[in-house]
Amino acid sequence: MYRAAISGEKSGILSDIQAFDVIIVGSGAAGGMAAHELCAAGARVLMLEAGRDYDPGTETPMFNTPQDAPLRAASTPDKPQGFYDATVDGGSQIAGEPYSQADPPNPDKSNQFSWWRPRMLGGRTNHWGRVALRFGPYDFKPKTRDGLGFDWPIEYADLAPWYDKAERLIGVTGLPHGIENAPDSPPGVQLPPPSPRAFEIVLGRAFDHLGMKVAAIRAAVLTRPLNGRAACLYSTQCTRGCASRSNFQSTTVLIPPAHATGNLTVVCNAMVSRVDVDATGRATGVTYNDRVTGSEFSVTGRVVVLAAGTCSSVRILLNSRSAASPNGIGNGHGLVGKYLMDSVEFSRSSQIPMLEKLPVLNDDGIFTPHIYVPWWLLPEQAAGQLGFPRGYHIEPRGGRRMPTTGIGSLIDDGSATYGDALRAEVRRKYGTAVTLIGEGEMIPNEDSFCELDPTVKDKWGVPALRFHWKWGDPEVRQVTHMHDTFNKVFTLLGGAPDNSPVAMPQGGGAVHEVGGARMGTSPQNSVLDANNQCWDVRNLFVVDGAAFASSPDKNPTLTILALAARSSARILELLRSGGT
């Protein structure tokens, strides 16, 4: 779609002409935003994407329903996210691109890390859930508040104008609520949120009764036209992609304007293995393998930006060994790959009897929840009454979207009902199932990190990552609190509590991994400075989730966008001043 007329065989030409001011590795939220900002300012940018070219405008089956697909679009080994998933070469297991686990799995695999990689232009922005929450003031200074984890070298006020910029650009819904540590946006920045649906109104009453303040969802889905993009049609899951450009994807919102400047060259299937440096320790470019031919190429640029995704950027840093950096770039103090984090994601479901026999309504709405519950127990937590130091927010799911084969679970396995009576029973119960999902904060710990595997390599001979993973006691207690809270809500509404065994999720399961090359105040305590600039290689920036110093209970994408925009301004300063 936006791929330059450069095949793997011709890519070598680039190393001879040295035409690029900036090389960006990755095309998702971080890479797309960096390209958008840098190209608009006149910088000549080369974007290297490890996956295939992808055009959601032509590839998204917007109006296809489950019955139009094989197996009613159910998951299969080659399509684990269902038939309509646009991922072709990606997933948690990719042929020829292995990763390993340091420890054998325990029964629930909660000590394992699942690394999901999209391998397509636009990265994870093609699949994410579009919940776009700002981090709050407390989230940037967690150690100052409770002595745990690490503070960021920036404060909320430093990032607030960049949140404004990102929200105006991509389109984010919301309302001002004045909730502690859930910052409101300035007037006129956000779009009007969608109205709550029937099941959300019912859940909202239970939340209110339990002292949990409900907020309008902050979602990167348009509820009115913006920048030439249409408002949401409510036609399908956002995770399929969006041909109408109504949700935010780098492929439809960031890359096209960057490409229109004439300053962007995109090369797909470019698997970057290392950052190249000269004798002075300055980055000169990157080396990559063409994923189709296997050929290796090197390209040069004045600035290198890693935006490949948290673990991919960490792997590139670790593999970038030289005389100046024998353990990898930025790893002089052994911090690259350390303190890997994910969201503590936990869910429970129940059937709510009062939702039975609702009239048929066209209330599908946007794909995200229309409401959410920000963390509501900050005073109790500060007083030490909860037994765990960090919180979570709640995203409810439910409604009466187009049914899948899973509708059969509404009927008890032992039921002898059939025919018209069976259909009537399904209609009575359809739409009564609700799910509550908690997204909690993980405190960084020394037992969760990734490193280069000493023996396992990918098909190009590049060392693979080996993961170590362990949830801390605070996360375990947090999940127990989620379980108990969700069952209180279900019971209050007449539903049955979900008392299935409480187990910790698998690391990486939320696909919110961050950390591994964190920002900080000195080379001794961090890999990057407050501008996402590598302490050791000053013309190298890491602008994706690897830079995070903490993993708050808010989904990370909006913060990645804001940080990428902010660091792009710093890159432009360096380019203009000749400081690269």
Side-chain angles (χ1 to χ4, degrees):
M1 175 167 133
Y2 306 108
R3 184 175 178 177
I6 301 172
S7 67
E9 291 78 9
K10 296 180 181 178
S11 295
I13 297 172
L14 297 174
S15 64
D16 299 326
I17 60 177
Q18 299 185 26
F20 300 105
D21 295 311
V22 183
I23 298 172
I24 299 174
V25 182
S27 64
M33 179 61 89
H36 182 277
E37 297 298 291
L38 296 170
C39 290
R44 295 161 297 174
V45 175
L46 171 65
M47 174 182 282
L48 300 176
E49 164 54 47
R52 72 179 183 97
D53 197 358
Y54 170 60
D55 180 0
T58 59
E59 294 189 43
T60 303
M62 290 284 285
F63 302 102
N64 298 51
T65 56
Q67 68 262 30
D68 297 325
L71 303 176
R72 292 187 64 86
S75 297
T76 58
D78 62 327
K79 284 282 191 179
Q81 304 302 316
F83 179 79
Y84 292 119
D85 179 22
T87 305
V88 174
D89 301 319
S92 57
Q93 300 296 328
I94 303 175
E97 299 181 35
Y99 59 94
S100 63
Q101 309 287 343
D103 301 305
N106 58 26
D108 62 7
K109 295 186 178 181
S110 61
N111 67 334
Q112 306 288 285
F113 188 87
S114 176
W115 185 18
W116 192 88
R117 294 153 289 175
R119 293 294 181 259
M120 59 199 301
L121 189 69
R124 297 184 188 190
T125 66
N126 299 306
H127 304 87
W128 71 305
R130 274 75 185 184
V131 174
L133 306 177
R134 294 185 178 211
F135 289 6
Y138 304 163
D139 300 324
F140 291 96
K141 302 297 177 184
K143 185 173 184 178
T144 297
R145 283 182 56 78
D146 59 26
L148 301 172
F150 308 101
D151 286 344
W152 294 59
I154 59 175
E155 299 181 354
Y156 174 74
D158 297 315
L159 204 56
W162 302 100
Y163 278 133
D164 297 349
K165 181 182 181 72
E167 289 179 355
R168 285 192 176 101
L169 176 61
I170 71 173
V172 175
T173 65
L175 289 174
H177 292 290
I179 297 175
E180 187 177 8
N181 203 42
D184 294 325
S185 301
V189 170
Q190 292 187 319
L191 301 175
S195 300
R197 293 163 286 204
F199 78 94
E200 290 165 328
I201 293 171
V202 169
L203 285 170
R205 290 172 180 169
F207 292 143
D208 288 340
H209 184 81
L210 294 171
M212 304 156 68
K213 188 169 183 178
V214 175
I217 194 61
R218 299 179 180 188
V221 182
L222 302 189
T223 54
R224 66 184 182 197
L226 178 72
N227 299 331
R229 296 159 55 205
C232 180
L233 301 171
Y234 309 153
S235 66
T236 190
Q237 301 98 320
C238 286
T239 48
R240 284 191 196 178
C242 186
S244 65
R245 302 189 298 152
S246 303
N247 67 28
F248 165 68
Q249 296 172 250
S250 178
T251 38
T252 57
V253 179
L254 298 176
I255 297 176
H259 189 266
T261 66
N263 294 323
L264 178 65
T265 300
V266 178
V267 178
C268 292
N269 290 312
M271 188 76 176
V272 173
S273 57
R274 66 179 182 269
V275 176
D276 300 320
V277 297
D278 61 18
T280 67
R282 174 184 172 275
T284 59
V286 302
T287 294
Y288 71 90
N289 291 94
D290 186 294
R291 291 183 77 231
V292 178
T293 68
S295 299
E296 184 178 88
F297 302 97
S298 293
V299 290
T300 60
R302 294 171 62 189
V303 175
V304 174
V305 175
L306 294 185
T310 293
C311 297
S312 290
S313 289
V314 165
R315 183 186 180 211
I316 292 169
L317 290 173
L318 290 172
N319 272 308
S320 301
R321 296 174 173 175
S322 66
S325 304
N327 296 315
I329 288 177
N331 203 29
H333 295 276
L335 292 174
V336 176
K338 298 299 175 66
Y339 303 106
L340 188 65
M341 298 165 279
D342 191 20
S343 293
V344 187
E345 189 172 88
F346 180 83
S347 66
R348 282 289 184 260
S349 301
S350 183
Q351 285 184 249
I352 307 301
M354 69 175 68
L355 294 174
E356 293 181 6
K357 299 181 180 178
L358 286 178
V360 176
L361 299 171
N362 182 15
D363 68 346
D364 278 3
I366 65 176
F367 183 64
T368 67
H370 291 193
I371 62 171
Y372 83 108
V373 180
W375 179 234
W376 67 100
L377 292 172
L378 281 164
E380 291 82 353
Q381 202 161 47
Q385 299 172 4
L386 299 185
F388 59 97
R390 306 285 172 80
Y392 58 92
H393 76 261
I394 301 173
E395 300 176 17
R397 297 293 200 280
R400 304 176 73 177
R401 294 182 181 274
M402 184 64 68
T404 66
T405 52
I407 196 171
S409 63
L410 294 172
I411 306 301
D412 187 272
D413 290 344
S415 173
T417 306
Y418 66 95
D420 290 342
L422 175 63
R423 283 186 283 274
E425 182 69 0
V426 170
R427 290 192 181 100
R428 179 174 71 86
K429 290 185 175 181
Y430 187 55
T432 63
V434 299
T435 300
L436 300 179
I437 302 173
E439 298 283 356
E441 177 165 359
M442 177 184 180
I443 299 170
N445 68 68
E446 293 184 354
D447 296 314
S448 295
F449 63 95
C450 58
E451 61 187 351
L452 295 183
D453 192 293
T455 59
V456 179
K457 293 179 171 59
D458 66 18
K459 62 183 178 182
W460 302 285
V462 180
L465 285 182
R466 178 169 64 182
F467 289 94
H468 301 249
W469 190 261
K470 181 180 180 181
W471 296 107
D473 289 339
E475 288 80 57
V476 174
R477 293 193 290 270
Q478 185 189 90
V479 163
T480 299
H481 191 273
M482 291 184 193
H483 171 268
D484 295 342
T485 299
F486 297 169
N487 277 344
K488 287 179 183 178
V489 174
F490 297 149
T491 302
L492 188 62
L493 295 173
D498 184 339
N499 287 319
S500 50
V502 177
M504 295 300 293
Q506 188 172 3
V511 199
H512 288 173
E513 65 266 23
V514 295
R518 73 169 182 260
M519 302 164 67
T521 56
S522 75
Q524 288 72 40
N525 65 25
S526 56
V527 178
L528 311 172
D529 69 10
N531 292 305
N532 295 74
Q533 194 171 358
C534 183
W535 290 110
D536 293 352
V537 179
R538 298 306 284 165
N539 64 333
L540 171 65
F541 290 73
V542 182
V543 300
D544 54 29
F548 283 31
S550 68
S551 178
D553 70 289
K554 288 88 170 176
N555 313 48
T557 303
L558 184 65
T559 299
I560 291 172
L561 288 164
L563 285 171
R566 182 174 180 269
S567 60
S568 294
R570 172 61 176 164
I571 293 170
L572 290 170
E573 289 178 2
L574 294 177
L575 290 173
R576 289 163 179 159
S577 67
T580 61

